[in-house]
Amino acid sequence: MAFNEAQIKAVDFYKGPMMVLAGPGSGKTTVITHRVKKLIEDYKVDPSNILVITFTKAAATEMKNRFLSLVGGRYYPVSFGTFHAVYFKILKYAYNYSGDNILREEKKAEYIKEIVEKLHLDIDDIGDFVKDIIGEISLVKGEMTDLNNYYSKNCPEATFRKIYNMYNDRLIRENVVDFDDMLVMCYELLTKRPDILKMWQDKYKYILIDEFQDISMVQYQVIKLLASPEDNIFIVGDDDQSIYRFRGAKPEIMLNFPKDYPDAQRILLGTNYRSTKEIVKSASLVIKNNKKRFEKEIVAGNVLGEQVSMRSLKNEKEETLYILKIIENYLKLGYGYSDIAVLFRTNTNPRMLVEKLLEFNIPFSMKDVIPNIYEHWLAKDIITYIKIALGSRKRADFLQIINRPKRYIARDAFDSEEVSFWDLKDYYSDKVYVVERIERLKYDIDWLTRMTPYEAINYIRHGIGYDDYVLEYANYRRMKPEELYELLDELQESAADYKTYEQWFDHMEAYSQEIKRQNQENKIQSDGITLSTMHSSKGLEYRAVIILGANEGIIPYKKAFLQEDIEEERRLFYVAMTRAKERLHILSVNERYGKAVEPSRFMIEAGYKPEEK
């Protein structure tokens, strides 16, 4: 295999610290596996003293298989593993841990959910809340943050601290550790027991780390301990592709590597063998706007290709139809479905595209679970209002919406399975202001019976005051109310094509069944267009890539305020752009839900001129 000069230098490197800056498509896996081979066969390093760390089990397996293929299947006892696997091995030796002592992810969610219920927290989006809290607990542990100095993004501090402490107490009672504890405990063990540290330093004399830009502070602290005193640490990564800040990964760790290791050599793998010159040039124009990064010149190893196509469409409907046209054109040119990927910022962005792909029977698979908007708790509230208008008098339905917005009606008022407005008024006969609210609800319900689905959603939101409830809830959950309003806007828009509730409900049912089927088939379907969030697309490549929703508020995401957040969003866009091998399309819209929106600043940085609208 022919290497370029930078690759040769990296492969031939023997001792001490080295940082390899590996741009997209620069052959980093090849460099790592060839260097391991070189250490063993040319520098006579004992294979059992070599440790190669990756971030996922799949990546570790692929790296190991690539290495085995390279050495012709000869047996070399090199250790390939994830951070968690390596650190668990250390704890297993010290504390006799077994797999039973590790808390499974589904159990972790179960524990948090039970705690939320025990604390009687009024949380509607329980699934999202549990997931977000798990992420925050992980962040606190991974960054070794003092809990008293931590500001929660999802609930009041006192509430977060209670959940955090109750969760840790449960782990102690059950004699289990979660993945984050494993990292912290490993650090504590190695700092307190120099004898154990020395044993593992003697074991792992050469450490190679892939995707170093994704490392967290506690992972890095352990690695520094293991690598010392010889510091044979070989890191490979790209600070421009650091996109997991929410998991505790920080590009600053990689940026500070030369300060931590002043003797470290630095090599840039600056040739992108994946993408055409136009794609590389356009992506470079975007990423150079980040201030916190290593300056690097990336060149394309590929021949010239087509210019990056950038278009702004009128609205999401036009954007969706345009994407279908692009797909059709590529199929005519001989591309397979699996050669094409559509990338987006969050998994709620492609709802309209998913509906059209299902309608036209175009095969696709999603890297992420396809979200069903009709199963969102906001949608369920709206649908419940409509069900009551259509005659439902079920106690469960009334309990769901009765205080959304606040009507000061207690659960105790519903003492039978069937609800009667007369009985409800009778229950509150001594409270005139509550009776007035019950009468107003009955009036609103009667009005809903005469409306189209679109009109009904609009009336529930603004006439009944559901948007006021959403604002109150968003403030409690420390969310931007715009996020929830947008989902309601989307729900309202999805109902616009249906004249009756029956038609809309039929559509919902068909769509939900199809989504369920798709989610099951995605596991086995290979020849389909890939639909993926930008995060999930990392490490993958496609002949043609279409980025949809390149608008301000989507990418960069509306939650990104700080400079470091904007830079992370820009890196995410850069990752999405550099998935493309031959063709790249970037699309934005001029309006969403009837409101004017701006093209993403990243799209403009890539060369789009807004006047071309």
Side-chain angles (χ1 to χ4, degrees), residues 63-126:
M63 188 80 76
K64 186 176 183 177
N65 290 339
R66 291 272 288 270
F67 173 71
L68 288 173
S69 169
L70 183 63
V71 296
R74 284 193 297 278
Y75 176 69
Y76 289 133
V78 176
S79 296
F80 290 88
T82 62
F83 279 104
H84 290 115
V86 173
Y87 295 4
F88 182 64
K89 190 175 180 180
I90 294 171
L91 291 178
K92 190 177 174 182
Y93 177 85
Y95 301 128
N96 290 319
Y97 275 169
S98 71
D100 294 338
N101 296 111
I102 301 177
L103 182 70
R104 295 194 312 276
E105 287 303 299
E106 61 271 22
K107 269 286 179 194
K108 185 192 278 192
E110 204 178 288
Y111 286 1
I112 300 291
K113 196 174 178 189
E114 284 171 15
I115 291 165
V116 170
E117 285 165 4
K118 202 173 276 185
L119 292 173
H120 302 296
L121 300 181
D122 190 15
I123 303 292
D124 293 315
D125 56 332
I126 188 73

Side-chain angles (χ1 to χ4, degrees), residues 473-486:
Y473 183 76
N475 289 337
Y476 172 73
R477 275 281 274 110
R478 296 192 169 171
M479 302 166 84
K480 285 176 75 71
E482 291 78 22
E483 286 178 58
L484 300 178
Y485 290 152
E486 268 197 16

Side-chain angles (χ1 to χ4, degrees), residues 123-125 128-129 132 151-155 376-378 470-485 487 557-559 561:
I123 303 292
D124 293 315
D125 56 332
D128 288 342
F129 182 73
D132 293 342
Y151 179 82
S152 175
K153 297 180 184 72
N154 291 288
C155 59
H376 193 282
W377 65 272
L378 289 171
V470 167
L471 176 62
E472 198 179 300
Y473 183 76
N475 289 337
Y476 172 73
R477 275 281 274 110
R478 296 192 169 171
M479 302 166 84
K480 285 176 75 71
E482 291 78 22
E483 286 178 58
L484 300 178
Y485 290 152
L487 193 131
Y557 197 48
K558 60 179 85 69
K559 281 184 180 175
F561 291 117

Side-chain angles (χ1 to χ4, degrees), residues 307-348:
Q307 286 296 323
V308 175
S309 169
M310 291 183 253
R311 288 281 302 267
S312 199
L313 288 309
K314 184 186 173 189
N315 53 32
E316 284 179 291
K317 204 168 191 175
E318 276 202 13
E319 181 185 46
T320 299
L321 294 173
Y322 186 69
I323 291 171
L324 295 179
K325 203 165 100 183
I326 294 172
I327 292 167
E328 189 185 350
N329 288 339
Y330 280 127
L331 294 175
K332 283 177 184 169
L333 289 171
Y335 281 56
Y337 286 117
S338 57
D339 291 326
I340 306 163
V342 182
L343 308 182
F344 33 84
R345 176 62 182 83
T346 71
N347 65 358
T348 58

Side-chain angles (χ1 to χ4, degrees), residues 532-547:
S532 171
T533 60
M534 294 174 179
H535 278 106
S536 295
S537 72
K538 189 163 173 283
L540 304 173
E541 56 182 43
Y542 304 90
R543 287 179 69 188
V545 167
I546 304 160
I547 297 175

Side-chain angles (χ1 to χ4, degrees), residues 215-268:
I215 202 166
S216 72
M217 187 50 74
V218 68
Q219 288 168 338
Y220 183 46
Q221 293 302 338
V222 175
I223 287 299
K224 278 165 73 179
L225 288 169
L226 289 175
S228 65
E230 292 182 33
D231 293 337
N232 292 324
I233 178 169
F234 184 89
I235 68 162
V236 183
D238 182 5
D239 55 301
D240 289 333
Q241 295 187 70
S242 178
I243 58 172
Y244 296 115
R245 181 177 285 276
F246 62 93
R247 286 188 199 156
K250 289 185 173 177
E252 291 87 345
I253 297 172
M254 189 166 189
L255 293 170
N256 288 327
F257 188 80
K259 290 178 193 164
D260 294 338
Y261 295 94
D263 299 334
Q265 292 192 39
R266 185 195 305 186
I267 286 177
L268 169 66

Side-chain angles (χ1 to χ4, degrees), residues 425 428 431-442:
K425 284 199 288 183
Y428 282 104
K431 290 182 180 167
V432 178
Y433 70 97
V434 179
V435 171
E436 284 172 358
R437 282 173 169 79
I438 294 165
E439 285 173 347
R440 175 68 204 202
L441 174 62
K442 177 141 188 3

